[in-house]
Amino acid sequence: MVDLASARVLVVGLGVTGRAVVRALASRAGSVVSLDARAADADVADAGEVDLGAVDLVVASPGWPPTTPVLVEALARSIPVWSEVELAWHLRVACPSTGEPAPWLAVTGTNGKTTTVEMLQSILEADGHRTVAVGNVGRPLVDAVLDETLDVLAIELSSFQLHFTHSMSVLAGAVLNVAQDHLDWHGSLEDYARAKGRIYERAQRACIYNTADARTEQLVRDADVREGARAVGLTLGAPGRSELGVVDGVLCDRAFHAADDDPTRHERAAELGTLDDLAHLAGPDGSVPSHVVSNALAAAALARAYGVGASAVRDGLRAFQPGGHRIETVATAPARHRTTDDGIAAPGADEPPAVAFVDDSKATNAHAAAASLGSFAPGTVVWIAGGLAKGATFDELVRSRAGQLRAAVLIGTEHAGLREALERHAPDVPVVEVDPGDTGTVMHRAVDHAFDLAQPGDTVLLAPACASMDQFSSYAERGDAFTAEARRIASATR
């Protein structure tokens, strides 16, 4: 236990999260000192100047791994180390309407977190609730918990944020999937999964898992939950007891559709909507991708755990509009090549078949990139990939999606793993490696190479399978750079 009112707090990291933590603690802690290797402010300590003997609590920003020496030493001295999420849990204020803090509906996973939490926000708003998507997206969680006007919080949590979280008790939590990611930070897939599983600890009403991902179900089995909390499965097929799923294009709920003491509850299901309600999220082939359906089911399950009606789920999914950099067609341009693979002449010289440029910069790991590539027809994708690998491997990604590839263009400072996976599992796919020198022109060169490789009707797809921070400030900046280059080509070919 830490008495914040008198605690001497060290905030490690001064990015967006760290600065929000400092603001929140300014009037709530005994004293606050900050540590950031990149900061030069007078009130920011140098790592060598920190006296942990004068510290009662350390709050670590998510970018600082547990192997950071100051965190290792703090733990060795039995000084509590908290995440921003842990601090936020202790700082929650009550809503005047209920006299209780806003409940937390939280989601994590390797892929799909942001889409799911934003779908959840849309559903909650459709049901008339004052809410906001926070955490790993939008405003910092530590700010939101101090806003007494909010009824309920839709929270996206990363494995970084969960690692040093010890007390959180969500109303309902979901782990969408677990695949290789951030192994450089966590050390192993097992430790990464264990961090994800913290979202289930002390869950009050529901632990929502993916029936197709055995790891997520095991995390539920391992969790120490509150009495009355139950496991709720998500499936793309017909749902069993205590599951949500799909039957003949209808999203169905067999978990929250009736009172627990209703003896007939297992014989019925509630209709939450249809695939037509997700038609505006269809992929390039006109169908709704399976991962979008899974995200919708997860958002629906979290909302239903909170008590949202079936019609609000439908209305919220209809109203949902995804953010940028997620399988978004940003430009088209006439192909430079005049013939198709079959040697058939392209349509008239003035109207050659177009090449589409699709931005999925949000695909920052292999799991997300596999979902993205799977949205396109075989042999039609010129794939731009690479960046910070974060300790991940790419053999399964390339093995499962080699059929989609026309060619690959590799960017980033850590693309050797991708190149080697392509050599092993797609040896016939042409590969161009973009020299990482001159970061300012890397996307210009990559998009030019990709367009040169594209044939009529192909797609130049940015789905990097890697983080962006080696050459860009964020996945959004990387996507913006791709979009600018794609539109440059489109404009020049008009």
Side-chain angles (χ1 to χ4, degrees):
M1 298 297 295
V2 176
D3 180 6
L4 278 175
S6 61
R8 300 164 297 178
V9 183
L10 171 64
V11 178
V12 178
L14 279 181
V16 174
T17 296
R19 293 189 182 278
V21 167
V22 170
R23 289 195 302 271
L25 289 174
S27 61
R28 295 176 175 85
S31 64
V32 180
V33 64
S34 305
L35 169 64
D36 193 290
R38 295 162 295 182
D41 302 6
D43 61 341
V44 177
D46 180 85
E49 299 173 356
V50 174
D51 178 11
L52 286 174
V55 171
D56 301 308
L57 171 67
V58 175
V59 180
S61 294
W64 293 59
T67 53
T68 301
V70 68
L71 302 181
V72 172
E73 185 178 350
L75 292 170
R77 292 172 175 243
S78 298
I79 299 171
V81 177
W82 290 1
S83 65
E84 176 227 358
V85 177
E86 178 70 14
L87 176 65
W89 183 256
H90 289 273
L91 293 182
R92 294 170 301 147
V93 298
C95 305
S97 58
T98 64
E100 298 289 337
W104 289 16
L105 303 174
V107 59
T108 191
T110 303
N111 187 31
K113 298 184 294 296
T114 302
T115 298
T116 300
V117 80
E118 290 177 350
M119 282 180 167
L120 174 58
Q121 177 183 351
S122 183
I123 293 169
L124 292 168
E125 289 175 341
D127 205 41
H129 299 288
R130 297 169 297 179
T131 189
V132 65
V134 295
N136 201 44
V137 62
R139 66 196 282 196
L141 180 56
V142 76
D143 284 345
V145 296
L146 300 174
D147 186 347
E148 63 181 23
T149 68
L150 298 174
D151 301 324
V152 57
L153 297 181
I155 306 172
E156 176 187 334
L157 295 176
S158 71
S159 58
F160 299 166
Q161 292 170 306
L162 286 162
H163 181 82
F164 286 119
T165 298
H166 316 291
S167 307
M168 178 185 71
S169 174
V170 300
L171 183 74
V175 180
L176 303 177
N177 39 61
V178 177
Q180 280 195 7
D181 201 14
H182 301 302
L183 302 191
D184 55 340
W185 201 95
H186 291 282
S188 69
L189 180 58
E190 291 71 25
D191 286 342
Y192 170 64
R194 192 174 300 113
K196 293 289 189 189
R198 287 177 180 265
I199 203 169
Y200 292 138
E201 293 297 322
R202 295 164 296 277
Q204 300 167 29
R205 191 166 298 171
C207 296
I208 298 158
Y209 69 96
N210 179 353
T211 62
D213 189 327
R215 280 198 183 91
T216 66
E217 182 174 359
Q218 189 59 49
L219 292 174
V220 175
R221 294 183 183 278
D222 293 342
D224 185 8
V225 303
R226 295 284 176 86
E227 184 176 354
R230 56 194 176 98
V232 174
L234 306 175
T235 176
L236 293 175
R241 293 185 177 187
S242 199
E243 291 181 355
L244 280 73
V246 184
V247 178
D248 295 331
V250 176
L251 308 184
C252 298
D253 170 15
R254 290 190 65 188
F256 302 106
H257 62 288
D260 289 343
D261 58 358
D262 183 345
T264 66
R265 67 187 307 271
H266 295 304
E267 301 170 13
R268 297 181 286 114
E271 179 178 329
L272 303 178
T274 69
L275 294 183
D276 288 342
D277 296 318
L278 300 171
H280 59 297
L281 306 176
D285 64 356
S287 64
V288 182
S290 59
H291 64 275
V292 172
V293 180
S294 294
N295 295 340
L297 289 170
L302 288 163
R304 294 285 279 170
Y306 181 59
V308 168
S311 61
V313 172
R314 178 200 63 211
D315 294 345
L317 292 177
R318 287 177 177 175
F320 169 70
Q321 292 295 329
H325 312 295
R326 300 175 198 162
I327 317 187
E328 178 182 6
T329 300
V330 296
T332 59
R336 286 176 179 162
H337 295 280
R338 312 298 291 177
T339 58
T340 67
D341 287 341
D342 298 326
I344 301 171
D350 295 332
E351 297 182 4
V355 171
F357 295 85
V358 175
D359 171 15
D360 196 5
S361 185
K362 189 74 166 63
T364 58
N365 56 60
H367 192 271
S372 186
L373 286 164
S375 301
F376 298 90
T380 65
V381 176
V382 180
W383 181 32
I384 299 178
L388 285 179
K390 302 171 290 183
T393 58
F394 302 99
D395 288 274
E396 180 56 31
L397 165 62
V398 176
R399 184 187 299 113
S400 65
R401 294 293 184 254
Q404 267 70 34
L405 300 180
R406 161 89 61 202
V409 177
L410 303 183
I411 62 174
T413 60
E414 295 183 4
H415 63 239
L418 275 164
R419 182 193 68 238
E420 292 163 3
L422 285 161
E423 290 171 350
R424 283 190 289 270
H425 307 295
D428 297 329
V429 171
V431 176
V432 174
E433 297 180 67
V434 179
D435 189 320
D438 189 8
T439 290
T441 66
V442 64
M443 193 58 76
H444 179 101
R445 290 176 284 145
V447 174
D448 274 352
H449 283 306
F451 189 50
D452 283 340
L453 291 163
Q455 292 196 13
D458 281 355
T459 296
V460 174
L461 172 67
L462 175 68
C466 294
S468 59
M469 286 77 75
D470 56 336
Q471 295 181 307
F472 303 93
S473 63
S474 66
Y475 75 81
E477 186 193 30
R478 179 173 60 189
D480 289 342
F482 172 82
T483 298
E485 297 302 333
R487 290 175 178 170
R488 169 183 59 82
I489 289 175
S491 177
T493 55
R494 285 177 187 156

